Amino acid sequence: MARNNHTPSEKTPAPIGRHEELLTDWASDREAFKNVSWGKSMMWIFLLSDTFIFGTFLTGYMTVRMTTTVPWPNPSEVFALTIGGVELPLVLIAIMTFILISSSGTMAMAVNMGYRGDRKKAGILMLVTALFGLSFVSMQAFEWTKLIHEGVRPWENPFGAHQFGATFFMITGFHGLHVSVGVIYLTVVAIKVLKGDYERRGDYQIVEITGLYWHFVDLVWVFIFAFFYLW
Amino acid sequence: MTDETAKDYDAEMHEPTHFFTKYIWSQDHKVIAVQYSITAMAIGLVALVLSWLMRLQLGFPGVFDFIDQEAYYQYVTMHGMIMVIYLLTAFFLGGFGNYLIPLMVGARDMVFPYLNMLSYWVYLLAVLVLVASFFVTGGPTGAGWTLYPPQSILPGTPGYDGGIILMLVSLIIFIVAFTMGGLNYVTTILQARARGMTLMRMPLSVWGIFVATFMGLLAFPALFVSGVMLLLDRVIGTSFFMPEIVSLGEPLAYGGGSPLLFQHLFWFFGHPEVYIVALPAFGIVSDLLSVHARKAIFGYRMMVWALLAIGVLSFIVWAHHMYVSGMDPAFGYFFAVTTLIIAVPTAIKVYNWTLTLWKADIHLTIPMMFAIAFILTFVFGGLTGLFLGNVVVDVPLSDTYFVVAHFHMVMGVAPILVVFGAIYHWYPKITGRMLHEGMGKVHFWVTFLGTYAIYFPMHYLGFVGVPRRYYDYEDIEFIPDSVADLNMAITIAALVVGAAQLMFIYNLVWSLIWGKKADSNPWKANSLEWQTPDTPPKHGNWGVEMPTVYRWAYDFSVPGAAEDYMPQNMPPQPFEAHRAAHPEEGPEEDKPGEDKPEEGGT
Ligand code: HEM
Ligand SMILES: [Cu+2]
């Protein structure tokens, strides 16, 4: 079905600026977001809802950090790695953050390639993104293991307030789950792209939709990083 | 319509033929809607029975000795939770949302039917998990529907063993189900409307469901997160919500958490939730009034803006439920002010409903009677809300039966009346038969008058200071004996009202088989769902040709028109063209339904 802006009983004035364009789009029939696929608009709305989930998690974290009477552990010490006898604060997390942000870069390139119709490059870039994601999750698993070895548990830890372990495992766990889902999602779409499943329709918006999710997961990480490791 | 399009149509629709894919594992929004409604009604019946048991205990204390204190708490909790979440939310959004959205905006189905189907099955799972809690050791939770920690997850509260865990798990599953459905509803409304269907031509039912769903997508996350955290506190011993506690002389392992945080998160969800069930009711009742009064809804634009304003404001009033919680009293100022401000758009809606009835051609059909009853009940419950929104008035009334009376009026009875009215209104479209009118009248009068018999006296109980969530009042000094008499009367009324609901369900089944056959538009309504080629609408809703919309849904009693209604897909008529060319003869653009000249000049 062609996506035309056919309005039978209203004349559509020629749009002038961005602002008027927005207004005419919303005042028109059929679609409020012109030429945006159903999947893409649904993804945006889902991400808005998911923002509220992460927002609430972080609000909960900030609140218990204030209500607990026991001192909060010092993140630069807890999250330090000793490499070759030197204690390097936050080194692992710096690498993880770097990897995740790089993966946003490869994702953006994949979207671009998708729209250019270069499905081979698009698919490979998506797989690279997924690999970055996978290495992020692995490093997170490593970090969890290390903390668990040191005795950090959701209900207690040797460094201070109980809530430290509780919020840490809950929030990074929930985020890690998002990354893992994203890796699976990326892989599935990448394989379909490579197999040429979208060739028939000639529409690679799905790459962009996957990208939206992926960028969102990255963005959330930036906040988690700032709140847990830098505060 | 060429052969080509007909062939394309068949290929595109691939209508299921097997019974299983057609009625059970179905992706058709109409079937899913019915599945949602039946499930919600079934679990709602459980909540109704629980309310009888509570009333039996309160009306005749000690007579029914299988109801002990623990059981009473469990009944209160499960009754409240089921009514609010599993009945009303599911019925309005999963039931009416599913049925009405694609039909009213002129789509073939929801944008992602498979996801929509999953939404129902996940909802069913949530209901089953909830029901399972009745059968585990210790029974369902008795924490109150607000589930406040610390007590909700400590031994001593009924349902400590499994009940509270299943309740939280069930809520989390419900939220997943709601999200899958809700994303579909919002996207369908925004992106899949018929040709000519602008947002400002949508019937108000769709607007109400739209705003409510959007609110749900932003409010349920708070319940999701607090549910996860409470579950972790209960199951693995974290202390998100748990402060230092000494129990039976022993300090517990908990410490450092914030019980107030839970209350904030719960009500950040909980207040919008009130409007999640109210806004669809607002929307639907607007349409019922307009159709059965044969008159355009008064102030359509204002109605839409009021819905949006209520939607936004309802996110900043939550702490009016927490005036006595021990939060910083300064918050009380802010939340009392926002609470009173939200009354403004709400009042606008009430005025507009009333003005829609003004000088209208009112047909006292059963849907109309329920719609009018809604206005009365909603105003009544809303007025007591103004009392409770003020800190100084709320403090003495908090946790008394005044509160119970208030919220039952405003969010219990009022939306339920709309559910009933809407069922009487759309049943002919859904099934092709009319509901039995005699039974409908009895149902209406018993329910309407009966609920007043139940809830009116509760306001007095509240003034006397009778506390809510109490199992009995026998040995409490300040409570006079007359309270017992009043309680007995309330119980009798509650049982009668309950019986009327059973008759209603009987009517639903009876009419399905023996009901009068309905034609495709028995109420002569304008909105698209009444203009389908088949009744009940077939898979794909519109046959080969999609509808085109030329007008809003409220062109009733237009002077010059051949009939007193003009369906949304009726092309512009010659007399309208004439009127557009000669604007001096009367206003056209804002379409007042009230421009009969013979009535205007006195
Ligand atoms: C025949 C209809 C109904 C009757 C007789 C009834 C009766 C009751 C009773 C006796 C209580 C307990 C009061 C107490 O001990 O504190 C209660 C609580 C409650 N009811 Fe209803 N109710 C009815 C319908 C509804 C509906 C339709 C809703 C939907 C919103 C609803 C929502 C609630 C809630 C949220 C509570 C509070 C539960 C709690 O305190 O945790 N009720 N009801
Ligand atoms: Cu509220």
Side-chain angles (χ1 to χ4, degrees):
Chain A
M1 215 175 294
R3 296 180 177 282
N4 56 354
N5 306 357
H6 177 77
T7 30
S9 59
E10 278 179 340
K11 41 188 182 313
T12 330
I16 317 153
R18 294 282 294 170
H19 179 65
E20 279 98 317
E21 201 176 318
L22 186 82
L23 286 183
T24 38
D25 281 1
W26 278 79
S28 73
D29 60 349
R30 308 190 114 182
E31 300 178 326
F33 305 102
K34 294 297 171 198
N35 299 318
V36 175
S37 71
W38 290 343
K40 187 166 153 189
S41 33
M42 189 184 259
M43 180 56 87
W44 270 111
I45 300 164
F46 167 71
L47 294 180
L48 190 62
S49 181
D50 215 17
T51 307
F52 270 62
I53 293 198
F54 278 108
T56 318
F57 269 130
L58 289 173
T59 312
Y61 156 73
M62 289 185 258
T63 313
V64 292
R65 186 162 171 169
M66 286 187 287
T67 55
T68 182
T69 45
V70 184
W72 201 256
N74 179 351
S76 336
E77 285 161 27
V78 181
F79 297 118
L81 280 188
T82 317
I83 299 172
V86 199
E87 191 171 273
L88 297 168
L90 298 180
V91 57
L92 181 63
I93 213 65
I95 298 173
M96 282 166 69
T97 308
F98 180 72
I99 286 183
L100 208 58
I101 290 180
S102 312
S103 80
S104 257
T106 53
M107 187 69 236
M109 284 154 71
V111 174
N112 189 340
M113 288 305 157
Y115 281 129
R116 289 195 196 173
D118 191 342
R119 73 182 149 96
K120 194 131 182 227
K121 279 199 189 135
I124 288 173
L125 280 166
M126 285 180 90
L127 285 179
V128 172
T129 312
L131 269 179
F132 275 136
L134 197 63
S135 55
F136 176 88
V137 179
S138 321
M139 286 190 221
Q140 193 160 53
F142 171 76
E143 183 174 52
W144 275 41
T145 325
K146 172 176 164 285
L147 288 174
I148 291 170
H149 271 299
E150 290 167 0
V152 181
R153 298 285 182 280
W155 52 91
E156 63 178 11
N157 70 71
F159 309 113
H162 300 338
Q163 281 76 11
F164 172 74
T167 48
F168 176 78
F169 286 119
M170 182 177 70
I171 296 179
T172 59
F174 198 71
H175 178 262
L177 202 69
H178 273 70
V179 178
S180 310
V181 169
V183 169
I184 297 171
Y185 184 25
L186 276 168
T187 316
V188 171
V189 175
I191 291 173
K192 289 181 124 190
V193 167
L194 287 173
K195 278 198 337 206
D197 282 11
Y198 304 107
E199 208 52 26
R200 200 173 72 89
R201 274 183 290 153
D203 179 5
Y204 281 89
Q205 209 169 44
I206 180 81
V207 182
E208 193 190 346
I209 297 173
T210 321
L212 283 177
Y213 176 81
W214 193 258
H215 294 314
F216 170 78
V217 170
D218 278 7
L219 184 66
V220 168
W221 176 255
V222 173
F223 281 92
I224 294 178
F225 174 68
F227 278 117
F228 270 94
Y229 298 88
L230 303 183
W231 179 11
Chain B
M1 136 188 164
T2 59
D3 282 355
E4 191 89 87
T5 51
K7 216 182 296 153
D8 272 1
Y9 170 72
D10 280 345
E12 198 185 318
M13 297 318 296
H14 41 76
E15 176 168 1
T17 42
H18 193 274
F19 176 83
F20 182 71
T21 42
K22 197 163 175 177
Y23 295 111
I24 299 174
W25 192 249
S26 168
Q27 301 185 26
D28 188 317
H29 72 102
K30 299 182 289 299
V31 179
I32 297 171
V34 173
Q35 290 173 326
Y36 250 115
S37 311
I38 291 178
T39 312
M41 234 185 280
I43 190 73
L45 214 54
V46 174
L48 181 69
V49 172
L50 293 175
S51 79
W52 294 343
L53 294 174
M54 285 187 285
R55 283 316 318 176
L56 284 177
Q57 165 59 30
L58 296 174
F60 309 98
V63 176
F64 300 90
D65 55 8
F66 66 97
I67 308 175
D68 56 14
Q69 287 94 326
E70 301 234 319
Y72 185 85
Y73 282 129
Q74 294 171 325
Y75 299 163
V76 175
T77 308
M78 298 309 273
H79 162 82
M81 195 66 103
I82 292 175
M83 285 289 189
V84 174
I85 309 261
Y86 299 86
L87 172 72
L88 283 176
T89 308
F91 211 115
F92 271 122
L93 302 179
F96 289 118
N98 256 314
Y99 197 84
L100 294 179
I101 291 171
L103 279 168
M104 281 188 157
V105 304
R108 292 218 182 272
D109 205 314
M110 291 291 177
V111 287
F112 291 103
Y114 190 80
L115 195 64
N116 201 26
M117 174 182 74
L118 282 187
S119 160
Y120 168 72
W121 292 104
V122 177
Y123 163 66
L124 183 66
L125 179 67
V127 170
L128 292 178
V129 171
L130 186 80
V131 171
S133 76
F134 282 96
F135 301 102
V136 294
T137 358
T141 178
W145 88 285
T146 46
L147 304 178
Y148 282 179
Q151 50 85 17
S152 62
I153 58 169
L154 288 180
T157 305
Y160 165 76
D161 300 305
I164 181 71
I165 298 178
L166 288 177
M167 168 61 87
L168 293 170
V169 170
S170 171
L171 285 173
I172 290 171
I173 300 175
F174 180 90
I175 294 167
V176 173
F178 167 80
T179 307
M180 294 197 271
L183 290 173
N184 250 318
Y185 312 155
V186 172
T187 314
T188 307
I189 294 173
L190 286 178
Q191 297 295 87
R193 279 165 284 137
R195 230 176 298 137
M197 180 62 88
T198 63
L199 289 173
M200 283 315 226
R201 280 178 179 172
M202 295 196 305
L204 285 168
S205 298
V206 179
W207 268 111
I209 292 168
F210 174 68
V211 180
T213 309
F214 211 89
M215 290 168 64
L217 290 172
L218 304 185
F220 273 114
L223 183 67
F224 178 86
V225 169
S226 51
V228 168
M229 298 202 319
L230 194 56
L231 200 59
L232 292 175
D233 278 4
R234 166 69 185 77
V235 177
I236 64 171
T238 55
S239 300
F240 291 112
F241 302 129
M242 305 297 276
E244 301 294 337
I245 295 172
V246 176
S247 168
L248 303 174
E250 294 284 322
L252 300 180
Y254 293 115
S258 166
L260 257 188
L261 171 63
F262 182 87
Q263 299 193 18
H264 279 296
L265 294 184
F266 182 86
W267 288 113
F268 183 81
F269 146 76
H271 188 86
E273 169 62 23
V274 174
Y275 284 97
I276 290 169
V277 304
L279 295 193
F282 289 178
I284 290 173
V285 89
S286 310
D287 284 349
L288 298 189
L289 287 169
S290 171
V291 170
H292 296 273
R294 317 306 298 160
K295 195 180 143 188
I297 189 76
F298 189 92
Y300 174 85
R301 236 157 237 282
M302 248 329 140
M303 292 300 243
V304 172
W305 285 114
L307 283 173
L308 291 167
I310 294 172
V312 172
L313 285 172
S314 68
F315 278 92
I316 49 166
V317 300
W318 76 87
H320 61 208
H321 297 274
M322 297 169 60
Y323 291 150
V324 296
S325 68
M327 67 176 182
D328 187 331
F331 286 178
Y333 281 115
F334 175 78
F335 285 100
V337 170
T338 52
T339 303
L340 298 182
I341 289 175
I342 209 174
V344 175
T346 314
I348 289 179
K349 299 198 74 78
V350 174
Y351 288 129
N352 285 355
W353 291 322
T354 320
L355 286 167
T356 303
L357 294 177
W358 177 253
K359 287 192 175 176
D361 176 12
I362 296 176
H363 291 41
L364 272 185
T365 55
I366 295 174
M368 186 61 158
M369 298 204 286
F370 275 107
I372 296 173
F374 163 83
I375 303 182
L376 291 173
T377 311
F378 184 74
V379 168
F380 196 90
L383 287 177
T384 52
L386 291 179
F387 288 64
L388 295 172
N390 287 288
V391 185
V392 280
V393 189
D394 180 68
V395 169
L397 287 175
S398 190
D399 279 319
T400 68
Y401 262 81
F402 192 84
V403 175
V404 177
H406 156 71
F407 71 68
H408 274 95
M409 279 288 189
V410 80
M411 80 156 315
V413 178
I416 285 275
L417 289 172
V418 176
V419 168
F420 290 144
I423 292 177
Y424 283 94
H425 185 78
W426 277 293
Y427 190 86
K429 182 49 68 176
I430 299 169
T431 64
R433 286 173 190 277
M434 307 293 287
L435 279 166
H436 187 275
E437 188 147 353
M439 277 195 266
K441 287 220 162 104
V442 176
H443 176 221
F444 169 76
W445 285 110
V446 175
T447 307
F448 176 55
L449 297 178
T451 50
Y452 279 78
I454 299 172
Y455 297 111
F456 235 93
M458 284 192 191
H459 294 90
Y460 292 96
L461 293 181
F463 283 139
V464 184
V466 179
R468 76 188 265 212
R469 288 181 179 164
Y470 267 38
Y471 161 74
D472 83 34
Y473 305 97
E474 297 221 297
D475 306 319
I476 302 178
E477 295 238 335
F478 70 87
I479 292 181
D481 291 341
S482 55
V483 163
D485 299 336
L486 207 49
N487 262 331
M488 205 191 303
I490 294 177
T491 296
I492 292 168
L495 294 177
V496 174
V497 169
Q501 310 319 309
L502 297 184
M503 192 196 62
F504 170 64
I505 291 174
Y506 175 73
N507 190 357
L508 289 179
V509 179
W510 186 90
S511 304
L512 196 60
I513 307 165
W514 293 287
K516 205 171 71 184
K517 276 230 183 295
D519 63 43
S520 68
N521 189 358
W523 313 115
K524 309 216 178 307
N526 288 339
S527 41
L528 284 182
E529 81 275 22
W530 299 103
Q531 325 303 335
T532 54
D534 307 280
T535 298
K538 291 225 169 76
H539 191 73
N541 294 345
W542 311 105
V544 178
E545 196 129 22
M546 294 293 281
T548 302
V549 170
Y550 298 95
R551 55 186 74 245
W552 70 346
Y554 302 103
D555 273 341
F556 290 108
S557 311
V558 177
E563 294 201 63
D564 76 338
Y565 69 111
M566 302 173 78
Q568 284 192 275
N569 57 354
M570 177 191 270
Q573 300 294 299
F575 79 90
E576 289 175 307
H578 172 82
R579 192 158 316 158
H582 304 276
E584 70 284 356
E585 288 175 22
E588 228 285 301
E589 213 25 73
D590 40 355
K591 295 189 175 102
E594 235 340 284
D595 54 356
K596 298 189 192 98
E598 67 274 24
E599 280 178 0
T602 16

